[in-house]
């Protein structure tokens, strides 16, 4: 077995263990919270995701049309600011 294959297998095992831990922790946390809190958190996450997708599409559309000035073409910087 090559060194790269071994490292990939180790990384996969570590990733699975971390995801399982996050799953258990999130389940424990959400079981301790009320239903109102959980629904509010899910709604807030959905709202943030919807605004992010809307702004990203708006930025891509204006970039495709060519409405953005060269100073505003730093899309990575705008994504980080968002």
């Amino acid at each position: 077995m090559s060194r790269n294959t071994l490292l990939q297998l180790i990384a996969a095992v570590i990733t699975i263990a971390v995801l399982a831990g996050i799953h258990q922790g999130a389940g424990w946390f959400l079981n301790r919270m009320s239903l109102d809190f959980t629904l509010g958190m899910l709604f807030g996450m959905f709202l943030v995701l919807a605004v992010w997708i809307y702004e990203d599409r708006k930025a891509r559309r204006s970039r495709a049309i060519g409405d953005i000035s060269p100073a505003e073409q730093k899309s990575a910087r705008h994504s980080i600011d968002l």
Side-chain angles (χ1 to χ4, degrees):
M1 190 178 306
S2 72
R3 181 175 180 264
N4 286 341
T5 305
L6 184 63
L7 289 175
Q8 287 175 344
L9 287 173
I10 291 171
V13 169
I14 291 172
T15 301
I16 290 170
V18 167
L19 289 176
I22 290 172
H23 181 265
Q24 292 294 325
W28 173 81
F29 178 76
L30 291 177
N31 283 336
R32 295 182 55 95
M33 297 298 131
S34 69
L35 182 61
D36 289 341
F37 174 82
T38 305
L39 291 177
M41 184 179 68
L42 289 174
F43 178 75
M45 289 168 47
F46 172 76
L47 188 63
V48 167
L49 181 64
V51 169
W52 188 328
I53 290 171
Y54 171 75
E55 290 296 327
D56 185 53
R57 287 187 179 177
K58 191 169 79 170
R60 287 178 192 228
R61 198 176 8 200
S62 60
R63 255 187 275 140
I65 295 172
D67 290 344
I68 296 180
S69 67
E72 290 187 56
Q73 288 183 352
K74 298 177 183 175
S75 63
R77 174 74 178 152
H78 293 308
S79 295
I80 292 171
D81 289 344
L82 178 61

Coordinates of all heavy atoms in Angstrom, one line a residue:
M1 N 0.9 -1.2 0.0 CA 0.0 0.0 0.0 C 0.9 1.2 0.0 O 1.8 1.3 0.8 CB -0.9 0.0 1.2 CG -2.0 1.0 1.2 SD -3.1 1.0 2.6 CE -3.7 -0.6 2.7
S2 N 0.6 2.2 -0.9 CA 1.5 3.4 -1.0 C 1.2 4.3 0.2 O 0.2 4.2 0.9 CB 1.2 4.0 -2.3 OG 0.0 4.7 -2.3
R3 N 2.1 5.2 0.3 CA 2.0 6.2 1.4 C 0.8 7.1 1.2 O 0.1 7.4 2.2 CB 3.3 7.1 1.4 CG 3.3 8.1 2.5 CD 4.7 8.8 2.5 NE 4.7 9.8 3.5 CZ 4.5 11.1 3.3 NH1 4.1 11.5 2.1 NH2 4.5 12.0 4.3
N4 N 0.5 7.5 0.0 CA -0.7 8.4 -0.3 C -2.0 7.7 0.1 O -2.9 8.3 0.6 CB -0.7 8.8 -1.7 CG 0.4 9.9 -2.0 OD1 0.9 10.5 -1.1 ND2 0.7 10.1 -3.3
T5 N -2.1 6.4 -0.3 CA -3.3 5.6 0.0 C -3.5 5.5 1.5 O -4.6 5.7 2.0 CB -3.2 4.2 -0.6 OG1 -3.0 4.4 -2.0 CG2 -4.5 3.5 -0.5
L6 N -2.4 5.3 2.2 CA -2.5 5.1 3.7 C -3.0 6.5 4.3 O -3.8 6.5 5.2 CB -1.2 4.7 4.2 CG -1.2 4.4 5.7 CD1 -2.1 3.3 6.1 CD2 0.3 4.2 6.2
L7 N -2.4 7.6 3.8 CA -2.8 8.9 4.3 C -4.2 9.2 4.0 O -5.0 9.8 4.9 CB -1.9 10.0 3.8 CG -0.4 10.0 4.3 CD1 0.4 11.0 3.6 CD2 -0.4 10.2 5.8
Q8 N -4.7 8.8 2.9 CA -6.1 9.1 2.5 C -7.0 8.2 3.4 O -8.1 8.7 3.8 CB -6.3 8.7 1.0 CG -5.7 9.8 0.1 CD -5.9 9.4 -1.4 OE1 -6.2 8.2 -1.7 NE2 -5.7 10.3 -2.3
L9 N -6.7 7.0 3.7 CA -7.5 6.2 4.5 C -7.5 6.7 6.0 O -8.6 6.8 6.6 CB -7.0 4.7 4.6 CG -7.2 3.9 3.3 CD1 -6.5 2.6 3.4 CD2 -8.7 3.7 3.1
I10 N -6.4 7.2 6.5 CA -6.4 7.8 7.8 C -7.2 9.1 7.8 O -8.0 9.3 8.8 CB -4.9 8.1 8.2 CG1 -4.2 6.8 8.4 CG2 -4.9 9.0 9.5 CD1 -2.7 7.0 8.6
A11 N -7.1 9.9 6.8 CA -7.9 11.1 6.7 C -9.4 10.8 6.6 O -10.2 11.5 7.3 CB -7.5 11.9 5.5
A12 N -9.8 9.7 5.9 CA -11.2 9.3 5.8 C -11.7 8.9 7.2 O -12.8 9.2 7.6 CB -11.4 8.2 4.8
V13 N -10.9 8.1 7.9 CA -11.4 7.6 9.2 C -11.5 8.8 10.2 O -12.5 8.9 11.0 CB -10.4 6.6 9.8 CG1 -10.6 6.3 11.2 CG2 -10.4 5.3 8.9
I14 N -10.6 9.7 10.2 CA -10.6 10.9 11.1 C -11.9 11.7 10.7 O -12.6 12.2 11.6 CB -9.3 11.7 11.0 CG1 -8.2 10.9 11.6 CG2 -9.5 13.1 11.6 CD1 -6.8 11.6 11.4
T15 N -12.1 11.9 9.4 CA -13.3 12.7 9.0 C -14.6 12.1 9.4 O -15.5 12.7 9.9 CB -13.3 12.8 7.4 OG1 -12.1 13.5 7.0 CG2 -14.5 13.6 7.0
I16 N -14.7 10.7 9.3 CA -15.9 10.0 9.7 C -16.1 10.2 11.3 O -17.2 10.4 11.7 CB -15.9 8.6 9.3 CG1 -16.0 8.5 7.8 CG2 -16.9 7.7 10.0 CD1 -15.7 7.1 7.2
A17 N -15.0 10.1 12.0 CA -15.1 10.2 13.5 C -15.5 11.6 13.9 O -16.4 11.8 14.8 CB -13.7 9.9 14.1
V18 N -15.0 12.6 13.2 CA -15.4 14.0 13.5 C -16.8 14.3 13.2 O -17.6 14.9 14.0 CB -14.4 15.0 12.8 CG1 -15.0 16.4 12.8 CG2 -13.0 15.0 13.4
L19 N -17.3 13.8 12.0 CA -18.7 14.0 11.6 C -19.6 13.2 12.6 O -20.7 13.7 12.9 CB -18.9 13.5 10.2 CG -18.3 14.4 9.1 CD1 -18.5 13.8 7.7 CD2 -18.9 15.8 9.2
A20 N -19.2 12.0 13.0 CA -20.1 11.3 14.0 C -20.1 12.1 15.3 O -21.2 12.1 15.9 CB -19.5 9.9 14.2
G21 N -19.0 12.6 15.7 CA -19.0 13.5 17.0 C -19.9 14.7 16.8 O -20.7 15.0 17.8
I22 N -19.8 15.3 15.7 CA -20.7 16.5 15.5 C -22.2 16.1 15.5 O -23.0 16.8 16.0 CB -20.3 17.2 14.1 CG1 -18.9 17.9 14.3 CG2 -21.4 18.2 13.7 CD1 -18.4 18.4 13.0
H23 N -22.5 15.0 14.8 CA -23.8 14.5 14.8 C -24.4 14.2 16.2 O -25.5 14.6 16.6 CB -23.9 13.2 14.0 CG -25.3 12.6 13.8 ND1 -25.7 11.6 14.7 CD2 -26.3 12.9 13.0 CE1 -27.0 11.3 14.3 NE2 -27.3 12.1 13.3
Q24 N -23.5 13.5 17.0 CA -24.0 13.2 18.4 C -24.1 14.5 19.2 O -25.1 14.7 20.0 CB -22.9 12.3 19.1 CG -22.9 10.9 18.5 CD -24.2 10.1 18.7 OE1 -24.8 10.3 19.8 NE2 -24.5 9.3 17.8
G25 N -23.2 15.4 19.1 CA -23.2 16.7 19.8 C -24.4 17.5 19.4 O -25.1 18.1 20.3
A26 N -24.7 17.6 18.1 CA -25.9 18.4 17.6 C -27.2 17.8 18.1 O -28.1 18.5 18.5 CB -25.8 18.5 16.1
G27 N -27.2 16.4 18.1 CA -28.4 15.7 18.6 C -28.7 16.0 20.1 O -29.8 16.3 20.5
W28 N -27.6 15.9 20.8 CA -27.7 16.2 22.3 C -28.1 17.7 22.5 O -29.0 17.9 23.3 CB -26.4 16.0 23.0 CG -26.3 16.4 24.4 CD1 -26.8 15.7 25.5 CD2 -25.8 17.6 24.9 NE1 -26.6 16.4 26.6 CE2 -26.0 17.6 26.3 CE3 -25.2 18.7 24.3 CZ2 -25.6 18.6 27.1 CZ3 -24.8 19.8 25.1 CH2 -25.0 19.7 26.5
F29 N -27.5 18.6 21.8 CA -27.8 20.0 22.0 C -29.3 20.3 21.6 O -30.0 21.0 22.3 CB -26.9 20.9 21.1 CG -27.2 22.4 21.2 CD1 -26.8 23.1 22.3 CD2 -27.8 23.0 20.1 CE1 -27.1 24.4 22.3 CE2 -28.0 24.4 20.2 CZ -27.7 25.1 21.3
L30 N -29.7 19.8 20.4 CA -31.1 20.1 20.0 C -32.1 19.4 20.8 O -33.3 19.9 21.0 CB -31.3 19.7 18.5 CG -30.5 20.6 17.5 CD1 -30.6 20.1 16.1 CD2 -30.9 22.1 17.6
N31 N -31.8 18.3 21.4 CA -32.8 17.6 22.3 C -33.0 18.4 23.6 O -34.0 18.3 24.2 CB -32.3 16.2 22.7 CG -32.6 15.2 21.5 OD1 -33.4 15.4 20.7 ND2 -31.8 14.2 21.5
R32 N -32.0 19.2 24.0 CA -32.1 20.0 25.2 C -32.8 21.3 25.0 O -33.2 21.9 25.9 CB -30.7 20.2 25.8 CG -30.0 19.0 26.3 CD -28.7 19.3 26.9 NE -28.8 20.2 28.0 CZ -28.9 19.9 29.3 NH1 -28.9 18.7 29.7 NH2 -28.9 20.9 30.2
M33 N -32.9 21.7 23.7 CA -33.6 23.0 23.4 C -35.1 22.8 23.1 O -35.5 21.7 22.8 CB -32.9 23.6 22.1 CG -31.5 24.0 22.3 SD -31.3 25.2 23.6 CE -30.0 24.5 24.6
S34 N -35.8 23.8 23.2 CA -37.3 23.7 23.0 C -37.5 23.7 21.5 O -36.7 24.0 20.6 CB -38.0 24.9 23.6 OG -37.7 26.1 22.9
L35 N -38.7 23.3 21.1 CA -39.1 23.2 19.7 C -39.1 24.6 19.0 O -38.7 24.8 17.9 CB -40.5 22.6 19.5 CG -41.0 22.4 18.1 CD1 -40.0 21.5 17.3 CD2 -42.4 21.9 18.1
D36 N -39.5 25.6 19.8 CA -39.5 27.0 19.3 C -38.1 27.5 18.9 O -37.9 28.1 17.9 CB -40.1 28.0 20.3 CG -41.6 27.8 20.5 OD1 -42.2 27.2 19.5 OD2 -42.1 28.3 21.5
F37 N -37.1 27.2 19.8 CA -35.7 27.5 19.5 C -35.2 26.8 18.2 O -34.6 27.4 17.4 CB -34.8 27.2 20.7 CG -33.4 27.4 20.4 CD1 -32.8 28.7 20.5 CD2 -32.6 26.3 20.0 CE1 -31.5 28.9 20.2 CE2 -31.2 26.5 19.7 CZ -30.7 27.8 19.8
T38 N -35.5 25.5 18.1 CA -35.1 24.8 17.0 C -35.7 25.3 15.7 O -35.0 25.5 14.7 CB -35.4 23.3 17.2 OG1 -34.9 22.8 18.4 CG2 -34.9 22.4 16.0
L39 N -37.0 25.6 15.7 CA -37.6 26.1 14.5 C -37.1 27.5 14.1 O -36.9 27.8 13.0 CB -39.1 26.1 14.7 CG -39.8 24.7 14.7 CD1 -41.3 24.9 15.0 CD2 -39.6 24.0 13.5
G40 N -36.9 28.3 15.1 CA -36.3 29.6 14.9 C -34.9 29.6 14.3 O -34.6 30.3 13.4
M41 N -34.1 28.7 14.8 CA -32.8 28.5 14.3 C -32.8 28.0 12.9 O -32.0 28.5 12.0 CB -32.0 27.5 15.2 CG -30.5 27.4 14.8 SD -29.6 26.2 15.8 CE -30.4 24.7 15.4
L42 N -33.6 27.0 12.6 CA -33.7 26.6 11.2 C -34.2 27.6 10.2 O -33.8 27.8 9.1 CB -34.7 25.3 11.1 CG -34.1 24.1 11.8 CD1 -35.2 23.0 11.8 CD2 -32.9 23.6 11.0
F43 N -35.2 28.4 10.7 CA -35.7 29.5 9.8 C -34.6 30.6 9.6 O -34.5 31.0 8.5 CB -36.9 30.2 10.5 CG -37.4 31.4 9.7 CD1 -38.2 31.2 8.6 CD2 -37.2 32.7 10.1 CE1 -38.7 32.2 7.8 CE2 -37.7 33.7 9.4 CZ -38.4 33.5 8.3
G44 N -33.9 30.9 10.6 CA -32.8 31.9 10.5 C -31.7 31.3 9.5 O -31.2 32.1 8.7
M45 N -31.4 30.1 9.6 CA -30.4 29.5 8.7 C -30.9 29.5 7.3 O -30.1 29.8 6.4 CB -30.0 28.0 9.2 CG -29.2 28.0 10.4 SD -29.1 26.3 11.2 CE -28.7 25.3 9.8
F46 N -32.1 29.2 7.1 CA -32.7 29.2 5.7 C -32.7 30.6 5.2 O -32.4 30.9 4.0 CB -34.2 28.7 5.8 CG -34.9 28.8 4.5 CD1 -34.6 28.0 3.4 CD2 -35.8 29.8 4.3 CE1 -35.2 28.2 2.2 CE2 -36.5 30.0 3.1 CZ -36.2 29.2 2.0
L47 N -33.1 31.6 6.0 CA -33.1 33.0 5.6 C -31.7 33.5 5.2 O -31.5 34.1 4.1 CB -33.7 33.9 6.7 CG -34.0 35.3 6.3 CD1 -35.0 35.4 5.2 CD2 -34.4 36.1 7.5
V48 N -30.7 33.2 5.9 CA -29.3 33.6 5.6 C -28.9 32.9 4.3 O -28.3 33.6 3.4 CB -28.4 33.2 6.8 CG1 -26.9 33.3 6.3 CG2 -28.6 34.2 8.0
L49 N -29.2 31.6 4.1 CA -28.8 30.9 2.9 C -29.5 31.5 1.7 O -28.9 31.7 0.6 CB -29.2 29.4 3.1 CG -28.8 28.6 1.9 CD1 -27.3 28.5 1.6 CD2 -29.4 27.2 2.1
A50 N -30.8 31.9 1.9 CA -31.6 32.5 0.7 C -31.0 33.8 0.3 O -30.8 34.1 -0.9 CB -33.0 32.6 1.1
V51 N -30.6 34.7 1.3 CA -30.0 36.0 1.0 C -28.7 35.8 0.3 O -28.3 36.4 -0.6 CB -29.9 36.8 2.3 CG1 -29.0 38.0 2.0 CG2 -31.3 37.2 2.8
W52 N -27.9 34.8 0.8 CA -26.6 34.5 0.2 C -26.7 34.1 -1.2 O -26.0 34.6 -2.1 CB -25.9 33.5 1.0 CG -24.4 33.2 0.7 CD1 -23.9 33.3 -0.6 CD2 -23.4 32.8 1.5 NE1 -22.6 33.0 -0.5 CE2 -22.2 32.7 0.7 CE3 -23.3 32.5 2.9 CZ2 -21.0 32.3 1.3 CZ3 -22.1 32.2 3.4 CH2 -21.0 32.1 2.6
I53 N -27.6 33.2 -1.5 CA -27.8 32.7 -2.9 C -28.3 33.8 -3.8 O -27.9 34.0 -4.9 CB -28.8 31.5 -2.9 CG1 -28.2 30.3 -2.3 CG2 -29.3 31.2 -4.3 CD1 -29.1 29.1 -2.0
Y54 N -29.2 34.7 -3.3 CA -29.7 35.8 -4.1 C -28.6 36.8 -4.4 O -28.5 37.2 -5.6 CB -30.8 36.5 -3.3 CG -31.3 37.8 -3.9 CD1 -32.1 37.8 -5.0 CD2 -30.9 39.0 -3.3 CE1 -32.5 39.0 -5.6 CE2 -31.2 40.2 -3.9 CZ -32.0 40.2 -5.0 OH -32.4 41.4 -5.6
E55 N -27.8 37.1 -3.4 CA -26.7 38.1 -3.7 C -25.7 37.5 -4.6 O -25.1 38.2 -5.5 CB -26.1 38.5 -2.4 CG -27.0 39.4 -1.5 CD -27.3 40.7 -2.2 OE1 -26.4 41.3 -3.0 OE2 -28.4 41.3 -2.0
D56 N -25.4 36.2 -4.5 CA -24.4 35.5 -5.4 C -24.9 35.5 -6.8 O -24.1 35.8 -7.7 CB -24.1 34.1 -4.9 CG -23.0 33.5 -5.7 OD1 -21.9 34.1 -5.8 OD2 -23.2 32.3 -6.2
R57 N -26.2 35.2 -7.0 CA -26.7 35.2 -8.4 C -26.7 36.6 -8.9 O -26.5 36.8 -10.1 CB -28.1 34.7 -8.4 CG -28.1 33.2 -8.2 CD -29.5 32.6 -8.4 NE -29.5 31.2 -8.2 CZ -30.5 30.4 -8.3 NH1 -31.7 30.9 -8.5 NH2 -30.4 29.1 -8.2
K58 N -27.0 37.6 -8.1 CA -27.0 39.0 -8.6 C -25.6 39.4 -9.0 O -25.4 40.1 -10.0 CB -27.6 39.9 -7.5 CG -27.8 41.3 -8.0 CD -28.6 42.1 -6.9 CE -27.7 42.6 -5.8 NZ -28.3 43.6 -4.9
A59 N -24.6 39.0 -8.2 CA -23.3 39.4 -8.5 C -22.8 38.7 -9.8 O -22.1 39.3 -10.7 CB -22.3 39.0 -7.4
R60 N -23.2 37.4 -10.0 CA -22.8 36.7 -11.2 C -23.4 37.3 -12.4 O -22.8 37.3 -13.5 CB -23.1 35.2 -11.1 CG -22.3 34.5 -10.1 CD -22.7 33.0 -10.0 NE -22.0 32.4 -8.9 CZ -21.4 31.2 -9.0 NH1 -21.5 30.6 -10.2 NH2 -20.9 30.7 -8.0
R61 N -24.7 37.7 -12.3 CA -25.4 38.2 -13.4 C -24.8 39.5 -13.9 O -24.6 39.8 -15.0 CB -26.9 38.4 -13.1 CG -27.8 38.6 -14.2 CD -29.2 38.6 -13.7 NE -29.2 38.7 -12.3 CZ -30.2 38.4 -11.5 NH1 -31.3 38.1 -12.0 NH2 -30.1 38.5 -10.2
S62 N -24.5 40.4 -12.9 CA -23.9 41.7 -13.3 C -22.5 41.5 -13.8 O -22.1 42.3 -14.6 CB -24.0 42.7 -12.1 OG -23.3 42.1 -11.0
R63 N -21.8 40.5 -13.3 CA -20.4 40.3 -13.9 C -20.5 39.8 -15.3 O -19.7 40.1 -16.1 CB -19.7 39.2 -13.0 CG -18.6 39.8 -12.1 CD -17.8 38.7 -11.5 NE -18.5 38.3 -10.3 CZ -18.7 37.1 -9.8 NH1 -18.1 36.1 -10.5 NH2 -19.3 36.8 -8.8
A64 N -21.6 39.0 -15.6 CA -21.7 38.5 -17.0 C -22.1 39.6 -17.9 O -21.7 39.6 -19.1 CB -22.8 37.4 -17.0
I65 N -22.9 40.5 -17.4 CA -23.3 41.7 -18.3 C -22.2 42.7 -18.4 O -22.0 43.3 -19.4 CB -24.6 42.3 -17.7 CG1 -25.7 41.4 -17.7 CG2 -24.9 43.6 -18.4 CD1 -27.0 41.9 -17.0
G66 N -21.4 42.8 -17.4 CA -20.2 43.7 -17.4 C -20.5 45.0 -16.7 O -19.9 46.0 -17.0
D67 N -21.5 45.0 -15.8 CA -21.9 46.2 -15.1 C -20.9 46.6 -13.9 O -20.9 47.7 -13.4 CB -23.3 46.1 -14.5 CG -24.3 46.1 -15.5 OD1 -24.0 46.5 -16.7 OD2 -25.5 45.7 -15.2
I68 N -20.0 45.7 -13.5 CA -19.2 45.9 -12.4 C -17.9 46.6 -12.8 O -17.3 46.2 -13.8 CB -18.8 44.6 -11.7 CG1 -20.1 44.0 -11.1 CG2 -17.8 44.8 -10.6 CD1 -19.9 42.7 -10.4
S69 N -17.5 47.6 -12.1 CA -16.3 48.3 -12.4 C -15.1 47.4 -12.0 O -15.2 46.5 -11.2 CB -16.2 49.6 -11.7 OG -16.1 49.4 -10.3
P70 N -13.9 47.7 -12.5 CA -12.7 46.8 -12.2 C -12.4 46.8 -10.7 O -11.9 45.9 -10.1 CB -11.6 47.4 -13.0 CG -12.3 48.1 -14.1 CD -13.6 48.6 -13.6
A71 N -12.8 47.9 -10.0 CA -12.5 48.0 -8.6 C -13.4 47.0 -7.8 O -13.0 46.6 -6.7 CB -12.7 49.4 -8.1
E72 N -14.6 46.7 -8.3 CA -15.5 45.8 -7.6 C -15.4 44.4 -8.0 O -16.2 43.6 -7.6 CB -16.9 46.3 -7.8 CG -17.2 47.6 -7.1 CD -18.7 48.0 -7.3 OE1 -19.5 47.1 -6.8 OE2 -19.0 49.0 -7.8
Q73 N -14.4 44.0 -8.8 CA -14.3 42.6 -9.3 C -13.6 41.7 -8.3 O -13.3 40.6 -8.7 CB -13.7 42.6 -10.7 CG -14.5 43.1 -11.8 CD -13.9 43.0 -13.1 OE1 -12.7 42.7 -13.2 NE2 -14.6 43.3 -14.2
K74 N -13.4 42.2 -7.1 CA -12.8 41.3 -6.1 C -13.8 40.5 -5.5 O -14.2 40.7 -4.3 CB -12.1 42.2 -5.1 CG -11.0 43.1 -5.7 CD -10.4 43.9 -4.6 CE -9.3 44.9 -5.2 NZ -8.8 45.8 -4.3
S75 N -14.3 39.5 -6.2 CA -15.4 38.7 -5.7 C -15.1 37.9 -4.5 O -15.9 37.7 -3.6 CB -15.9 37.7 -6.8 OG -14.9 36.8 -7.2
A76 N -13.8 37.5 -4.3 CA -13.4 36.7 -3.1 C -13.5 37.6 -1.9 O -14.0 37.2 -0.9 CB -12.0 36.2 -3.3
R77 N -13.1 38.9 -2.1 CA -13.2 39.8 -1.0 C -14.7 40.0 -0.6 O -15.0 40.1 0.6 CB -12.5 41.1 -1.4 CG -12.7 42.2 -0.4 CD -11.8 42.0 0.8 NE -12.0 43.1 1.7 CZ -11.8 43.0 3.0 NH1 -11.4 41.9 3.6 NH2 -12.0 44.1 3.8
H78 N -15.6 40.2 -1.6 CA -17.0 40.4 -1.3 C -17.6 39.2 -0.6 O -18.4 39.3 0.3 CB -17.7 40.7 -2.5 CG -17.4 42.0 -3.1 ND1 -17.3 43.2 -2.4 CD2 -17.0 42.4 -4.4 CE1 -17.0 44.2 -3.2 NE2 -16.7 43.7 -4.4
S79 N -17.2 38.0 -1.0 CA -17.7 36.8 -0.4 C -17.3 36.7 1.1 O -18.0 36.3 1.9 CB -17.2 35.5 -1.1 OG -17.8 35.5 -2.4
I80 N -16.0 37.0 1.3 CA -15.5 37.0 2.7 C -16.3 38.0 3.5 O -16.6 37.8 4.7 CB -14.0 37.3 2.7 CG1 -13.2 36.1 2.1 CG2 -13.5 37.5 4.1 CD1 -11.8 36.4 1.9
D81 N -16.6 39.2 3.0 CA -17.3 40.2 3.7 C -18.7 39.8 4.0 O -19.3 40.1 5.1 CB -17.3 41.5 3.0 CG -16.0 42.2 2.9 OD1 -15.1 41.9 3.7 OD2 -15.8 43.1 2.1
L82 N -19.3 39.0 3.1 CA -20.7 38.5 3.4 C -20.7 37.6 4.5 O -21.5 37.6 5.4 CB -21.2 37.9 2.1 CG -22.6 37.3 2.2 CD1 -23.6 38.4 2.5 CD2 -23.0 36.6 1.0

